Amino acid sequence: MKMFDVYSVHDVSIVTGRGSWVYDAKGDKYLDMYGGHAVISVGHSNPDYVEAVTGQLGRLGFYSNSVVISQQAELAEALGSVSGLGGDWQLFLCNSGAEANENALKLASFHTGRRKVISVGGAFHGRTSLAVAATDNPSIVAPINESNNVIFTTFNDLNALEQAFATAASDGGVAAVIVEAIQGVAGIKVVEVEFLRAVRSLCDKHGAVYIADEIQCGCGRTGRYFATDWADIRADIYTMAKGIGNGFPMGALAIAPHIKPRKGMLGTTFGGNQLACVAATAVACVIERDGLMNNAFEVGEYLMSELRKIHGIREVRGRGLMIGIELNPDFESVATKLLFGQHVFVGTASGGRVIRLLPALNVSRAEADVALAAIRKVLTPSC
Ligand SMILES: Cc1ncc(COP(=O)(O)O)c(C=O)c1O
C-alpha cells in the first residue's frame, strides 16, 4: 500500500522536537515558527505534557463515553479557568477542528430549529460535510457537500451582514453565524471588532447562535484566550482544536449555559478520551501557570514591529503570535528558502505570497530574533 497523494510536502523528516526547535533524521536543527499548522502551543515535548500523557497511558489508554471519565471534569475545570468562561459553560469533546465545527453547526440547528448559516468570505472551517459547506473554497467542496443552507457574507462588511440576515429571515431564519475572529488559512486577516460586535447583536436580535471558530486563532495565541475576546463580547459556542492538545488530536466546543443538551444529541467514540483529556488539561495548566498568553502578546508585538521595518514586506497583520507577512509580489519561494537555507519553519497562504507565523506560545524573544534575522537574510540577500 502507499499513501493517498494529497499533501504537498517539504522534503524533510522531523524526528524529534523540544520547545520551539525540531530536528531531522540527520540531527539538523530547525526553528519552528509554524507549530505544524498552529498546533504546538506549549512547545514540542513539553515536560508537563509528556508526563501527563505517558502517566495516563501507563494507567489506562482508553475507555469510551459509556463510563464516567473523571479526566473530562478536570479538563472542563482547567479550560473554564484559563479561558475565563467559568463554571456554567458546558464542554463537548471530539477529535478535530472540522468535527468541532460540524457539531457546533448541528447543535445551533437543533437549538434554533433552523437551517441557514451565515459564513464570512475567505473562511476556512474544515473539510467535513457542513464545515466544508461553510468554507469559502469551492475547490475542496465535493458535489455531495454543496448546500444552499450557507450564505457567504463579505469580510468586514456590516451592510452585507445585515442583508444576509434579511435574506435568511424570509427563508426560515438564521440558525448560526460562524466566524473566525482572525482568518488563518485566508492569510491572517483580522476581522474588525465592530464586525464581531455586529454579529453578536444581530444574533441576539434574530435568535441565532454565534459560533466563534477559535480553532486556529484561539487557545491564547493572540494574548487573550479567545481572539473574539478582543471585541469584549461572548459568543454562544466556541470551537477549539489545534493548540488545545499540543499535538494530541482533539476538538472541543465550549457551549453557553442557555443551550441545553439532551441525551444522544451529539456523540463520538473517541472524543473526550482519557489521553486527550490529560493532554489538554496539561496544556491549559501550562498556559495559565507560565503566563503564556502574556508572552504570546509581547513576543508577537515585538515580532510585528520588527517585521514592519524589513524591506520587501508589503503588510504585517495579526495579533500576538498569529502573524501574516504579505510579501511584495517579486519575492518567490520565501518559505522554502527559509526552511532549507535558514532552517526556519514558517507557513504560507495565498500561494506563498503570505508567510504565516504561528509558533508555540512560549517562543522566546531570542528565538524571535533568530527568525527575524533569517527573514531579513532571505528578503535582503546582500545583508
Ligand atoms: C479556523 C479553522 N477551522 C477549522 C479547521 C479544521 O481543523 P482540522 O484540520 O483539525 O479539522 C482549521 C484547520 O486549519 C482552521 O484553521
Side-chain angles (χ1 to χ4, degrees), residues 37 95-99 101 124-127 180 182 184-185 213-217 241-242 356:
H37 301 316
N95 309 286
S96 70
E99 199 186 337
N101 284 335
F124 183 89
H125 296 299
R127 292 166 183 272
E180 303 159 82
I182 303 179
V185 174
D213 179 342
E214 294 275 345
I215 288 159
Q216 189 167 146
C217 58
K242 292 191 186 283
R356 280 193 289 163

